[in-house]
Structures are given as C-alpha cells and as structure tokens.
Amino acid sequence: MAVLNEEQTMLKDMASEWVRDRLPVTALRGLYDHGGGGGSGSDGYDADAWAEMAQMGWCGIIVPEAHGGADFGYLSLGLVIEELGRTLAASPLISSALVAASALRLAGTQNQQARWLPGIADGSLIGTLALDEGPHHAPERTALAATASGDGWALSGTKRPVQDGMIANLAIVATRTSGAPGDRDGLTLFLMPTDSAGLERQALDQIDARRPALYRFDSVNIAVNDVLGEVGKAADLIDAIRDRAAIGMAAEMLGSATQAFDITLDYLKTRVQFGAIIGSFQALQHRAAELFGELQLTRSAVETALAAIDADDPALPALASLAKATAGETLHRISSQMVQLHGGIGMTHEHDAGLYLKRARVAEQCHGSTAWHRERWARLNGY
C-alpha cells in the first residue's frame, strides 16, 4: 500500500466520508429506470453533487496552480476516484478532471491551457475524450475525417461511445488528417466546444445508468489554433492520454472491487445455513482468501501506476496496461462472486450486487478492455 503524506491522508478520509454520506449506492438507484437501464430524463450523474465536488477542489487536483488548480498529483486524484468507485458514484471526474485536464497538460499551448483549464478546475466546464468509433478500442483505426477548410478544419464522421458526452462542454476529438485507418501517422487531436454547429449528440443507454453519447459530425468547423499538439502526429499523445485514463479507471475499479469484497465478506460472516455461519465453511473461506489476495495485487499495480505518472516514469505505458488489466480481472471475478455468494437475493435489482456487476462490465471496456491491455502489456515487455 502506498505511503501517503498527511495531506493525502486527509484528502482520502474526506473523500471517503463525503462519498458515503452524499453519494451512497442508493443515489445511483435514482439514475436507473424501472427496466434496469438509465432513466429517460437522467443525465447519468447528480449535478448538485458534482458542484459540491468542484467546491472541494477535486476537479482541479492535477491542474497547475497558475490555472486555478492544486497541482496535487495523480496519486492524490486516484485516492478520490477510488473512494467514488466504492459506492459506484456516477460523476464525470475521470472524463474531465483526469482525462481532459491531462490532455491539456501534456500538449496544450499556453493560450489553450488558459482558455480551458480554469473551467475544468472549478467544475464549471466538463471535458471529455472522443476517441472510440465502435465497440472495440482501436485508436489507430480512427476514420473520422478532418479536412483543411479555409483557415481551419472541417470534421465529418462519428464517435461512439463518448463517455459523459451528453454533459460535456469540451470534447477532445481524435481525427484522421491523412493516411488510412490503421496507420499511426495521420492522427490529429482537436479541442472542440460541444455546442459547435454541425455536431449532433445522441444519448446512449448503458447498463450502469450512466449516459455516454454518440457524436455525429457534419462538417464541423474547427479553428486552426484548436489543434492539440501537432497535425498528423497525435498517436503518441493519444497513447499518453489513454494511459492516464486507463489508470484512473483502474483506481475506480479498485474501489468498486474493495467494497464488493467487503459487502460479501460481511454476508459470509452473518448468513446462516444448515445451522452454521456460511463463512465457517472451508470452501468459502478459501474463495474469500483468493479474492483478498487478488485485491492486494491490484492495489499494488494501481498505486504503482499512479505514482509512475507523477514521477514521469518511462515504464508508464506498461504499468498503465498492467493496472487496467489486473483491475479488470479482479473486479470481474469479485463482482461475479458477489452475486453467486449472495445466492438468490444477489440476482435481484433490489440488491446492490447486480449494480456492482453492471458497473464492472462497463468499466472493463472503458479506455481499452482487459484483453486489449493484457496483449499490450505482453507486447511492451517483449513477449
């Protein structure tokens, strides 16, 4: 377990207390429709709770102080994200405060940072990354076309799913300015306000009640000074942004897995069958011990990856994939065992077990699936 300084310990304790009081699992139920998907009038998050998170400074944890943030590091932000994951709290913190802020930190010009980062830091602006174009994560296969048009660019194509896409004010859009889908050369990132003419947004339903979006671009005009990084050379930048996003997701998944395990362990200690506490059965003790061991390995991988971002460690790509793959496997298994060990009640929507399983299946796919990151880790390590 990471050694935290006094300020990080206070931040973690404050986040834990606030999340349990303000966004318990019951708050998530309010976003669900009776049929199990997201409610028709829901934006997939609690706007009032988001405002409180912004007031506490969580949106600006990695934003430089010059732009209104705290510059408190990725490990600190990961502590907050983990606590949110414990109660399945739905918020755009990863999309905006982690992914969008990271993209601007990595490649934004002084003018771009001055324009966008203060809004991200105070929560008045929500950013997101529009990267994927289908069910499989494959940035190199980007086909959304950006063609030169007058003094700027015109974007045409689709993006889906865009996480938190219906509530975002700023989208960082991956496009192809040259080459063919599959080429690493020819990719370019653009900063695009989501109220741009020619952009149509359609809400997508998701089993965890959050609201990703489908973006349709019809000759959306982008100014030349809204290019993020270099034209046609964004492949490495996309990798760096995706690494940070994957680690953030892994931190959330660690929190969800930890809470799912704790709930299940409490049940094993209290449920009586055949005249005995079921936790006294040796087969279930072994199963719980295996899950606990996997949790500790996941914590080590996630905290190491978070610290690697702060240290600008050259091993970051491999550590990011290791963290995401490990967290994906652990949460998948623990959420499944949570349902099985609770028996019939675990199969119902009224019990929290199903909510953890649904979020687990979605989180596994975000910013690269478990299989995608497992293959990437092997490739980066020469296997």
Side-chain angles (χ1 to χ4, degrees), residues 94-113:
I94 292 180
S95 295
S96 189
L98 173 60
V99 180
S102 292
L104 286 159
R105 281 190 58 136
L106 286 166
T109 64
Q110 289 186 354
N111 287 338
Q112 288 171 343
Q113 292 184 356

Side-chain angles (χ1 to χ4, degrees), residues 151-174:
D151 295 333
W153 299 83
L155 276 54
S156 295
T158 60
K159 289 289 181 184
R160 65 176 299 174
V162 180
Q163 299 300 323
D164 302 303
M166 295 305 295
I167 57 174
N169 312 104
L170 168 69
I172 299 167
V173 186

Side-chain angles (χ1 to χ4, degrees), residues 11-286:
L11 176 63
K12 181 178 175 65
D13 292 344
M14 179 180 69
S16 176
E17 182 178 354
W18 183 86
V19 168
R20 293 173 189 278
D21 177 63
R22 188 65 179 79
L23 287 179
V25 177
T26 51
L28 175 67
R29 292 185 178 279
L31 303 179
Y32 271 94
D33 196 358
H34 182 70
S40 57
S42 170
D43 289 326
Y45 83 124
D46 184 330
D48 293 334
W50 173 250
E52 293 179 29
M53 293 165 68
Q55 290 175 354
M56 291 186 286
W58 294 356
C59 302
I61 288 178
I62 66 166
V63 174
E65 293 181 9
H67 298 296
D71 206 4
F72 197 23
Y74 283 85
L75 177 58
S76 301
L77 180 56
L79 298 173
V80 174
I81 292 173
E82 180 185 340
E83 294 303 320
L84 292 172
R86 276 183 169 266
T87 62
L88 307 176
S91 85
L93 193 71
I94 292 180
S95 295
S96 189
L98 173 60
V99 180
S102 292
L104 286 159
R105 281 190 58 136
L106 286 166
T109 64
Q110 289 186 354
N111 287 338
Q112 288 171 343
Q113 292 184 356
R115 179 184 179 188
W116 298 112
L117 282 177
I120 291 176
D122 66 20
S124 61
L125 182 148
I126 295 174
T128 189
L129 177 66
L131 180 59
D132 291 322
E133 298 181 1
H136 299 293
H137 180 69
E140 291 83 3
R141 295 188 177 277
T142 293
L144 190 146
T147 55
S149 175
D151 295 333
W153 299 83
L155 276 54
S156 295
T158 60
K159 289 289 181 184
R160 65 176 299 174
V162 180
Q163 299 300 323
D164 302 303
M166 295 305 295
I167 57 174
N169 312 104
L170 168 69
I172 299 167
V173 186
T175 71
R176 181 161 294 285
T177 48
S178 64
D183 295 342
R184 281 183 65 82
D185 288 338
L187 296 174
T188 303
L189 290 175
F190 289 94
L191 299 165
M192 183 199 70
T194 56
D195 59 357
S196 298
L199 175 66
E200 178 188 353
R201 294 191 286 180
Q202 176 185 338
L204 300 175
D205 200 8
Q206 197 161 271
I207 59 172
D208 61 353
R210 303 193 185 200
R211 281 290 189 206
L214 165 64
Y215 281 11
R216 293 189 180 90
F217 299 77
D218 183 9
S219 298
V220 177
N221 290 316
I222 304 292
V224 67
N225 57 4
D226 284 332
V227 174
L228 184 66
E230 295 184 59
V231 174
K233 303 293 183 184
D236 291 343
L237 175 58
I238 290 173
D239 286 347
I241 297 170
R242 191 258 320 287
D243 285 343
R244 287 154 178 77
I247 294 169
M249 283 304 307
E252 182 197 304
M253 295 163 80
L254 171 62
S256 300
T258 302
Q259 188 65 26
F261 177 77
D262 289 347
I263 293 172
T264 304
L265 196 61
D266 287 342
Y267 185 74
L268 295 179
K269 291 177 180 176
T270 55
R271 174 65 170 162
V272 176
Q273 280 190 328
F274 309 114
I277 300 292
I278 62 174
S280 64
F281 301 150
Q282 192 174 47
L284 300 188
Q285 291 174 354
H286 288 174

